[in-house]
Each structure stands twice: as structure tokens, then as C-alpha cells.
Amino acid sequence: MAKDEGIDAYSSPTKTSMFKTTKKRVEFLRNETVEYILYKCYKVVQHFTDINV
């Protein structure tokens, strides 16, 4: 995503987490996955329709 916007970004992993339960971690992962899939779908549609929003 950052690359698509011309941003030179790097990850910064950590061993700690703000999520204390597995349920919360799974919810976060699910939400991030859905958002990423939607983003990729948007980019495909944007490519084929040549819409620059």
C-alpha cells in the first residue's frame, strides 16, 4: 500500500502486543485481512477502469 503511494516504508515488528487474548488477535487479523483484500480489489478495479480517486 505504501509503495503504491510512493512511500518508502519498513516494518517494525515487536514481541509485545496490545492484544491480550487470542480472540482479540484473531479479530484484528481478520479485520486487517478483509481491509487488505478490499484494497487489492479496489486497485484491480482502478486498473481496469482507469479511475484515479
Side-chain angles (χ1 to χ4, degrees), residues 34-46:
V34 168
E35 292 294 329
Y36 183 71
I37 291 168
L38 290 172
Y39 172 77
K40 294 305 272 184
C41 290
Y42 168 76
K43 294 304 280 184
V44 168
V45 169
Q46 184 182 39

Side-chain angles (χ1 to χ4, degrees), residues 9-39:
Y10 299 91
S11 63
S12 181
T14 178
K15 292 184 180 195
T16 61
S17 173
M18 62 186 259
F19 304 108
K20 302 298 181 201
T21 65
T22 301
K23 180 182 177 186
K24 290 294 183 185
R25 288 179 185 173
V26 170
E27 287 175 9
F28 176 77
L29 179 59
R30 182 197 66 220
N31 291 341
E32 289 291 306
T33 302
V34 168
E35 292 294 329
Y36 183 71
I37 291 168
L38 290 172
Y39 172 77

